[in-house]
Amino acid sequence: MIGALRLGALGIGMLVFQALLTALLPLGFRPDVVLVFAAAMGLQRGREMQGLVFAFGIGFAMDVMSGSPQGLYALLRGTACAATRVLDRALYVSTPLSWALYCGVYWVVDWLAVGLILQFLQPAAALPWAEIARNAPGAAVLTALVASALLGLFRRIDSGSERDTDWDSFGRGGQRVRP
Amino acid sequence: MSELLRRFRYLLSYALLAALCIGAMASGQGPRDLGVASRLILKLTLPIERMVTLPVDEAKSWGRGLAELIQVREENAELRAQIADLRKENLRFRENLISSERFRRLHSFQASQEVQMASANVMHRDISSWFQSVIIDRGTEAGIQAGMPVVTDTGVVGVISGTASDASKVLLIIDPQSRVDAYVQRSRSRGSVRGTSIRGADFEYVPRGDDVRAGDLLLTSGMDLIYPKGLVIGEVRGVEREPHGLFHRADVVPSVDMQKLEEVFVVLESRQLPPDEAFVQSGEVLWSEAAP
């Protein structure tokens, strides 16, 4: 329970942090910390369901606080969590370097997905592909750097929750540690 | 069976949540009241966010003020020259005003109504790079409803797309999902202003023969049943004339600087088409369904 509250507070913190970055930085230098949080939820072991719900939840919060069609970011952040869980087993993305690379690449995939879904929902919409594409490399690289820095924070926040469960968490091999 | 369910629990949960999201997306994008969960999220996050972003906004505003002060001296000289020109123009307008009085009497059957407005402060800007919306600090308690237009003293801002008791979401006119029916003040050419996000907006569906030039002022036509007629949308920056096709397109600079938006006014008047039933009950139809 304490772990869930801690993650909830961290999620709200990430949303506020993202809003602060939006106020301070121009488009091409704005990392997506909410995406990093959602993807990190996929690294949890033993509490995968909680991670999935939190990832969908933070996406829903983004939908509420953004002009996006309701459900768009919830779906994409939930998918980021599920994709991380699947890919972590295949690629072992939970070391700082591979995690940074993964988040940077996933940012581009997520960016494309938003554009394509929006184009599908509203074919007549004039989407700013060119403008956002120009700013994409900077944002992807910064997302990767921030992801690498935040991995330690996610692990620390989760370490308290880890004591409540008999499962290892946040990508430390996913082995059961029975008391 | 239960073993199978347990094994695929994660996948099934993901599929269920994803289906809910897709259902929400498919269920339409019209203006609506925000649900309980959305209101709770706004209650939880906005005060914290405001606490963090307010000092940043204040510092940025102070910096802008300082930069503007430096420009004031140069602008002062330019403005003095403009005042002289405007005095001449003013004389001409006074003449026109006298003649327009006559037309005003003709329209006296239209009782002039004071439009009620609610002022609001911008609390949150869209954190996504794809969308352009803001959240303001007034909601249904102030009489605001989804679908109401939002303006500033310089022009149109957008439309209320969602409401809570003490907050509302505003879809800006520069959002790619936004459309405003508009006309050119000088030539009266009609078209549609469509948001293009970062770049501003486009003026589209302008018939090829119509006269649109850079510098033309665009106003709302009122035909979209959202914005009242005659509000300033922006200025034409350039016109793109295709060699073929029925229409041409113009690049529009909105009159409101959406990046520096701080205070807005919500027009407390929702203009919507009456429901179809009203036409049916009165024996009228919008158009005949029976084709010969």
Side-chain angles (χ1 to χ4, degrees), chain B residues 185-221:
Chain B
Q185 189 193 37
R186 183 181 55 80
S187 65
R188 323 307 280 181
S189 299
R190 265 193 61 206
S192 177
V193 172
R194 186 170 71 160
T196 56
S197 198
I198 305 157
R199 199 156 47 82
D202 282 346
F203 186 41
E204 297 181 328
Y205 304 114
V206 188
R208 268 180 75 81
D210 282 10
D211 182 16
V212 183
R213 296 177 206 161
D216 275 346
L217 201 63
L218 294 180
L219 307 177
T220 54
S221 72

Side-chain angles (χ1 to χ4, degrees), chain A residues 19 23-24 27 49 56 60 63-71 73 79 85 111 114 122 124 126 128 131, chain B residues 10 13-14 17 21 25 29 32 41 49 56 60 124 126 128-131 133 169 177 179 194 197-199:
Chain A
L24 281 174
L27 192 61
M49 293 302 297
F56 271 100
F60 176 70
D63 283 326
V64 172
M65 300 176 80
S66 140
S68 62
Q70 203 68 26
Y73 278 113
T79 306
R85 183 172 180 262
W111 167 75
V114 177
Q122 299 191 7
E131 284 88 346
Chain B
Y10 191 85
S13 304
Y14 170 75
L17 288 167
C21 295
M25 274 191 277
Q29 307 303 326
R32 64 198 178 274
I41 286 168
E49 184 191 320
V56 177
K60 282 169 83 175
H124 167 88
D126 209 318
S128 158
S129 49
W130 285 102
F131 305 100
S133 70
K169 203 194 292 187
Q177 302 164 89
R179 295 275 188 290
R194 186 170 71 160
S197 198
I198 305 157
R199 199 156 47 82

Side-chain angles (χ1 to χ4, degrees), chain A residues 28 52 54 157 164:
Chain A
L52 186 69
F54 269 106
I157 294 277
D164 302 334

Side-chain angles (χ1 to χ4, degrees), chain B residues 226-290:
Chain B
I226 294 174
Y227 301 96
K229 189 181 175 184
L231 297 175
V232 179
I233 299 172
E235 195 181 292
V236 174
R237 182 161 42 193
V239 183
E240 214 172 85
R241 294 180 197 281
E242 298 287 337
H244 307 289
L246 295 170
F247 306 105
H248 52 232
R249 195 182 66 77
D251 196 12
V252 178
V253 185
S255 58
V256 179
D257 187 344
M258 305 295 178
Q259 302 305 318
K260 294 176 187 166
L261 208 54
E262 287 172 16
E263 283 174 338
V264 294
F265 297 98
V266 182
V267 179
L268 299 176
E269 187 181 84
S270 202
R271 306 169 70 228
Q272 283 174 2
L273 271 174
D276 287 350
E277 294 81 38
F279 287 96
V280 174
Q281 279 167 15
S282 63
E284 294 176 38
V285 286
L286 286 174
W287 54 79
S288 172
E289 285 180 9

